[in-house]
């Protein structure tokens, strides 16, 4: 074993390198969500683990680098290397046109390889540092692993808080500085003065660059969605943990519509275009009088206001404020606008308060909150509730594990919204629509019909209408049947403005798919009807809240052969292919992690360490299973918690922080508990499996029972449920390491690599299982993984007895 500096410095160094590694992984995901398409941004997960696993493998293959005093020399140098290469990786990712379909396939592969390498290299060096300290130092495994987990937990909070103060590139540079600081902690008395000076210089330089870049923005995404971005057109730019918002220079000209009527007069308006993550758009229009926004009478997203032009209006997804302006234009008494992204509410209250003319009005209330959560816990009621093209296809930190679930497009969410309507009030939702393929909105219609069935309404067809114009369809639904006056108004407006009445009570729906859905007689009948369709048009529920994912696994091959040129299905196919490719790449990496180190060492299995294959492989399976179980538990709970808390950032902050922090506490406790003794060594895996299953079902129950609870109560409840599970999860790795160390194993870095790579494989596989099955599938597999552990523990312990 090695000499080592003050153990407190080692614990602090491990804490810092784990903190910065997780924070960098999440921030890279956020950065790539701007430079490329969301489904490609998830490659950050795989590439980060590729680097970490390669680093752990180096520790296994080069043990002489980590012997004696050289351990801390190597760990210090690896931490400094992490700090040095991270800025270069950022520059490469900023200028590489990843995902540009205009290039040939060979060029696209080249750019993908460049980006993959840029993402992986920093984690290669942090992987060396983490694996080296964890497996080669003489400190207790429980304590050093706890430092690793506590650092990772704080990394979650660093991203949440850091992106409120820094832009993503500046935060990435700050992560590099923290890596250099970790190297200084590892240095101690065993590393030369010159290297220490280099560490201080690195920390100071990187912190200075990070702070300066928040002001000058030299380091930024220069390629956005595969194309060069024109930064000179920016007037305002801001980052947070789930978006990058750009406001462009003021322009005067024709107004920007969602669905412009062909009968609209010519208007000249003053407006600013806004862009979220380089693709999603909205607009803020100048509003001094109604004349400035009269063009909104001619947008098909606003049809519901012709039916209910008075009372209070509620807007879900404020953006630049155009839906609030529409409600005021039509004459509503007051408007409540609920916006998930606080950047937009801040802009409307501050920089664009005078321009948009909303924040200072007594009849307008702007709320920065998640809509489902807000309407669940308040008694606000309205005559019109409007939700126009609200999508959350964003690779948030939570999204890295949850892909595209959306808690506002489920039956349970729409029931909340319907319950906040006045008598006779209407809920209106606008979505993309293909006039050449009307059945593309099948899931949209199915969700409306299913919600009404679940609300006790026997004839949904009397409560629903859909008005379409161009590539937008607007659904209007109510708890009460639409009246004859409503139908007459809809016909008159459609005639005057050249809108299409795609669905209307008393009118036969032309499209056979939509007609079949609208003619369903019950919820069971609806599920039978959509179950026979090639696409998944089943109404989403909280158990599987993937509204945007409409593929069926059994039909993937047939759909791929007749792939549409655009639309949701094409996006589904691209995302599914990317996810499948990630799973394949990670599977290959799993095989390489298992086999390559053994081949390179050119040893017979019987000569590995002093342990025969009969013990080596049970130990390998043990560490692989706890990686699988930990990740699938984390994914399953974060997906369930996203629905419970109805907010992606709370899901990231509460679940990841709580699970990792409590696992760190469990790791510390493992040093004091007799977990390696019989019978406890066989009991606690079964207890853990039962706790995972119980916590999941308890959260599922509470989602229904605590709809109206305050956010504080939901957060406290989540912590109380999740923390005990996290503590149990924290027992396994240090306990396993003590078991194999007692046998004199040399393979501990290899076991660490197996644990990590199987966990990463399941980060992608868990998403795949959830979208093609349900969230609970991940939990069931995790329960099985922990339930199987006693079998392999028995094999290890039996050999201990022989020894």
């Amino acid at each position: 074993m090695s000499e080592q500096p003050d153990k407190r410095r080692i614990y602090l160094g491990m804490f810092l390198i784990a903190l910065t590694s997780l924070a960098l992984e999440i921030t890279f995901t956020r950065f790539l969500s701007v430079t490329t398409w969301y489904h490609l941004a998830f490659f950050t997960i795989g590439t980060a683990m590729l680097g970490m696993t390669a680093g752990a493998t180096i520790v296994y293959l080069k043990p002489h680098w980590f012997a004696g005093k050289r351990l801390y020399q190597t760990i210090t140098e690896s931490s400094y290397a992490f700090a040095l290469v991270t800025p270069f990786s950022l520059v490469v990712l900023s200028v590489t046109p990843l995902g540009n379909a205009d290039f040939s396939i060979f060029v696209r592969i080249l750019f993908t390889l460049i980006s993959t390498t840029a993402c992986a290299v920093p984690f290669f060096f942090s992987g060396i540092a983490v694996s080296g300290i964890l497996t080669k130092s003489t400190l207790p495994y429980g304590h050093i692993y706890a430092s690793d987990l506590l650092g990772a937990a704080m990394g979650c909070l660093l991203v949440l808080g850091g992106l409120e103060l820094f832009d993503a590139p500046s935060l990435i540079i700050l992560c590099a500085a923290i890596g250099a600081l970790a190297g200084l902690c590892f240095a101690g008395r065993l590393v030369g003065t010159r290297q220490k000076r280099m560490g201080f210089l690195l920390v100071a330089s990187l912190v200075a660059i990070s702070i300066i870049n928040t002001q000058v923005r030299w380091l930024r995404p220069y390629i956005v969605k595969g194309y060069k971005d024109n930064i000179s057109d920016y007037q305002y730019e801001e980052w947070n943990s789930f978006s990058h918002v750009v406001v462009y220079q003021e322009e005067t000209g024709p107004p920007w519509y969602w669905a412009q009527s062909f009968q609209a007069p010519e208007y000249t308006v003053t407006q600013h275009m806004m862009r979220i993550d380089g693709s999603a758009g909205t607009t803020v229009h100048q509003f001094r009088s109604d004349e400035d926004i009269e063009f909104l009478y001619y947008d098909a997203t606003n049809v519901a206001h012709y039916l209910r032009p008075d009372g209070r209006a509620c807007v879900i997804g404020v953006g630049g404020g155009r839906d609030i302006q529409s409600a005021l234009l039509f004459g509503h008494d007051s408007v409540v606008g609920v916006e998930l992204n606080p950047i937009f509410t801040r802009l409307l209250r501050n920089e664009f308060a005078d321009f948009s003319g909303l924040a200072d009005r007594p009849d307008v209330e702007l709320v920065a909150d998640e809509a489902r959560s807000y309407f669940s816990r308040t008694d606000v009621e309205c005559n019109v509730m409007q939700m126009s093209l609200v999508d959350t296809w964003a690779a948030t930190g939570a999204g890295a594990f949850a892909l595209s679930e959306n808690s506002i497009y489920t039956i349970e969410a729409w029931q909340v919204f319907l319950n906040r309507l006045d008598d006779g009030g209407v809920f209106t939702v606008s979505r993309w629509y293909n006039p050449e393929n009307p059945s593309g909105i099948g899931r949209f219609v199915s969700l409306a019909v299913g919600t009404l069935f679940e609300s006790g309404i026997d004839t949904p067809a009397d409560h629903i209408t859909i008005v379409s114009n161009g590539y937008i369809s607007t659904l209007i639904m109510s708890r009460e049947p639409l009246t004859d006056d409503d139908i007459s108004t809809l016909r008159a407006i459609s005639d005057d403005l050249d809108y299409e009445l795609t669905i209307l009570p008393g009118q036969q729906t032309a499209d056979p798919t939509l007609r079949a859905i609208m003619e369903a007689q019950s919820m069971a009948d609806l599920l039978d009807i959509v179950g026979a369709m090639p696409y998944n048009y089943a109404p989403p529920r909280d158990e599987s809240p993937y509204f945007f994912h409409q593929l069926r696994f059994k039909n993937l091959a047939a759909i791929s052969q007749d792939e549409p040129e655009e639309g949701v299905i094409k996006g589904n196919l691209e995302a599914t292919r990317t996810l499948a490719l990630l799973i394949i790449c990670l599977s290959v990496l799993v095989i390489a992690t298992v086999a390559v180190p053994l081949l390179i060492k050119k040893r017979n299995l019987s000569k590995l360490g002093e342990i025969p294959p009969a013990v080596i492989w049970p130990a390998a399976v043990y560490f692989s299973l706890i990686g699988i179980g930990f990740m699938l538990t984390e994914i399953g709970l974060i997906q369930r918690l996203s629905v419970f808390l109805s907010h992606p950032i709370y899901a990231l902050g509460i679940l990841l922080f709580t699970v990792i922090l409590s696992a760190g506490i469990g790791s510390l406790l493992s040093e004091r508990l007799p977990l390696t003794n019989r019978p406890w060594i066989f009991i606690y895996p079964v207890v853990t499996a039962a706790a995972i299953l119980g916590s999941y079902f308890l959260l599922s129950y509470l989602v229904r029972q605590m709809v109206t609870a305050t956010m504080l109560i939901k957060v406290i409840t989540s912590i109380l449920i999740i923390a005990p599970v996290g503590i149990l999860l924290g027992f396994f790795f240090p306990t396993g390491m003590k078991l194999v160390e007692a046998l004199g194993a040399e393979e501990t870095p290899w076991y660490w690599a197996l644990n990590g790579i199987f966990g990463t494989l399941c980060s992608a596989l868990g998403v795949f299982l959830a979208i093609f099955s349900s969230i609970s599938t991940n939990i069931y597999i995790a329960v099985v993984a922990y339930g199987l552990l006693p079998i392999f523990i028995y094999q290890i312990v039996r050999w201990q007895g022989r020894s």
Side-chain angles (χ1 to χ4, degrees), residues 44 85 101 182 203 240 278 300 321 402 474 477 482 523 526 544 582 653-654 668 685 688 743:
T44 305
V85 301
V203 172
N240 62 13
T474 296
M477 60 188 294
L482 296 175
M523 190 66 179
L526 173 64
S544 185
L582 177 58
I654 300 302
L668 284 173
T688 301
L743 295 170

Side-chain angles (χ1 to χ4, degrees), residues 196-230:
K196 292 178 184 177
R197 288 175 179 171
M198 178 183 175
F200 284 116
L201 180 62
L202 265 177
V203 172
S205 300
L206 290 168
V207 168
I209 292 171
S210 176
I211 294 172
I212 293 170
N213 194 67
T214 60
Q215 305 300 319
V216 299
R217 302 288 174 93
W218 289 329
L219 295 170
R220 58 163 57 251
Y222 288 98
I223 300 294
V224 174
K225 297 297 182 279
Y227 298 90
K228 185 178 179 181
D229 200 27
N230 192 355

Side-chain angles (χ1 to χ4, degrees), residues 17-92:
I17 199 68
L19 179 152
T20 193
S21 295
L22 185 61
L24 182 65
E25 181 180 344
I26 297 173
T27 311
F28 266 168
T29 304
R30 176 91 294 280
F31 184 81
L32 287 173
S33 294
V34 177
T35 62
T36 187
W37 299 101
Y38 294 135
H39 55 274
L40 287 176
F42 296 116
F43 263 120
T44 305
I45 304 168
T47 55
M49 198 58 227
L50 170 65
M52 294 287 282
T53 302
T57 304
I58 288 294
V59 178
Y60 177 52
L61 296 177
K62 301 290 184 181
H64 58 283
W65 289 4
F66 304 90
K69 294 182 179 181
R70 285 205 64 185
L71 169 64
Y72 293 96
Q73 179 88 17
T74 304
I75 298 304
T76 301
E77 291 172 354
S78 298
S79 300
Y80 290 169
F82 170 89
L84 285 169
V85 301
T86 296
F88 289 100
S89 294
L90 171 62
V91 172
V92 171

Side-chain angles (χ1 to χ4, degrees), residues 143 223 444 474 628:
H143 293 171
I223 300 294
F444 184 38
T474 296
I628 291 169

